[in-house]
Amino acid sequence: MNRYHSNGKFLLSGEYLVLQGARALALPLNLGQSLEVTTINDRNGMIHWDAYTPKGFWFASIFSKHDFTVHASDDMDKADNLSRIFKAIKTLNPSILQDENDYFFTTRLEFDKDWGLGSSSTLISLLAQWANVNPYELLKMTMGGSGYDIACATASQPIIYQLINGDPIVEKVDFKPAFADKLYFVYQGHKQSSGKEVKSFKERAQKLDFSQEISEISEISENLIRTTSFNDFCALLTRHEEIMSRCLEQPALKTYYPDFQGVIKSLGAWGGDFFLAASELSEKEVKEYFYRKGLKTILKYNEIVL
């Protein structure tokens, strides 16, 4: 049996504009997804796939190891997606699955599948590790995106991520804010489709010049790492939200929580998943505020960031 693991992620700065070359600050998480791969004595030319979440069994599929045709599944959309990924892997590494044995793949997600912490990116990373292929190439051939989440999947600490001429540049950074106890990740209660958001933004970026915003966001990413002042950190987050609000022509998330005593910043695709709340309120006060808003999942920075 072979075992693999990949980390989930948060994108603290650079959402959307990372696609255009902005320097983005990304955080690998201590929650992710694992993969176990075993060969079995059956020689029917099949791959068996079982997937689990923290709540238990998720879905199962059986498909051909030769042409990856789906033979059975309780979720055909997910099975078809897996089939496409395996076809891409076979293109990148034709030597895989050449033996006569059948295979059994088991994935175990360590966070709620609706949280948007990287169920797709960790899957790409895991399968790339197993097949010994370039995860960024596999991402390009399947789901698309900037690739920062792929970088986080195998990172051991926060990173600065940047695309230069389409190539990923990953730089480890020493980001350990002294005020981490004032930072919270709050789940909005619904998942945002990153793929749709990426496509929409790329179409918008073809018509507009974001070069000034890219420069500003890159500078903010650098300053977020360097600052030791909580007030300065909050000011940087607020400026980041202002810039992205203008780029996306969407209101900043704080406008929906105007009475919150602190700063609120979107993470990743706007309109879903988690956001960052930074406040000098006590932990009890922060949680009580968001509980009153119907937001029950609140994670402390030090509990989840590697």
Side-chain angles (χ1 to χ4, degrees), residues 19-251:
L19 294 160
Q20 306 298 311
R23 289 171 65 78
L25 176 56
L27 310 175
L29 308 180
N30 58 27
L31 296 177
Q33 187 169 199
S34 65
L35 169 67
E36 297 176 355
V37 183
T38 59
T39 55
I40 52 181
N41 291 329
D42 295 346
R43 297 187 174 184
N44 299 316
M46 294 294 173
I47 292 174
H48 302 258
W49 187 284
D50 281 358
Y52 296 85
T53 74
K55 295 180 180 178
F57 179 77
W58 186 8
F59 74 95
S61 301
I62 301 173
F63 45 99
S64 166
K65 65 180 279 195
H66 303 299
D67 63 6
F68 309 113
T69 301
V70 179
H71 284 242
S73 181
D74 54 7
D75 190 321
M76 287 303 297
D77 287 342
K78 290 185 178 63
D80 288 340
N81 186 48
L82 280 173
S83 175
R84 287 192 292 271
I85 295 172
F86 270 97
K87 288 176 182 177
I89 289 172
K90 189 70 171 178
T91 299
L92 293 171
N93 183 3
S95 67
I96 63 163
L97 302 172
Q98 296 282 27
D99 58 307
E100 296 182 352
N101 292 324
D102 287 6
Y103 279 72
F104 210 116
F105 288 71
T106 303
T107 57
R108 300 183 188 279
L109 203 59
E110 297 166 354
F111 50 83
D112 189 305
K113 60 184 176 60
D114 295 324
W115 281 4
L117 300 188
S119 56
S120 298
S121 58
T122 52
L123 176 64
I124 293 293
S125 174
L126 291 167
L127 287 174
Q129 291 176 57
W130 163 74
N132 193 29
V133 300
N134 186 315
Y136 299 103
E137 291 301 318
L138 184 57
L139 182 72
K140 288 179 184 178
M141 295 175 67
T142 53
M143 300 175 183
S146 70
Y148 87 88
D149 44 6
I150 297 298
C152 282
T154 53
S156 58
Q157 65 189 77
I159 61 171
I160 285 286
Y161 182 87
Q162 186 176 25
L163 290 174
I164 298 181
N165 297 321
D167 295 325
I169 306 299
V170 182
E171 175 188 342
K172 294 180 180 180
V173 294
D174 185 19
F175 180 64
K176 297 178 181 178
F179 40 80
D181 60 330
K182 297 179 174 66
L183 306 179
Y184 304 84
F185 299 105
V186 184
Y187 180 53
Q188 298 187 66
H190 52 93
K191 192 176 187 304
Q192 185 73 309
S193 173
S194 298
K196 290 181 181 179
E197 289 293 307
V198 165
K199 181 180 178 181
S200 176
F201 180 76
K202 283 185 173 180
E203 292 172 353
R204 182 171 172 75
Q206 290 176 349
K207 305 172 185 176
L208 299 171
D209 179 12
F210 289 130
S211 56
Q212 179 62 35
E213 288 83 359
I214 291 169
S215 177
E216 288 187 65
I217 291 297
S218 294
E219 184 177 357
I220 287 173
S221 295
E222 297 290 346
N223 287 332
L224 285 171
I225 298 168
R226 287 195 289 262
T227 187
T228 58
S229 163
F230 178 67
N231 288 336
D232 289 348
F233 184 82
C234 288
L236 290 166
L237 296 181
T238 299
R239 178 57 182 156
H240 193 295
E241 285 286 276
E242 292 171 351
I243 294 169
M244 293 312 305
S245 176
R246 186 173 68 245
C247 289
L248 300 172
E249 294 186 342
Q250 295 183 35

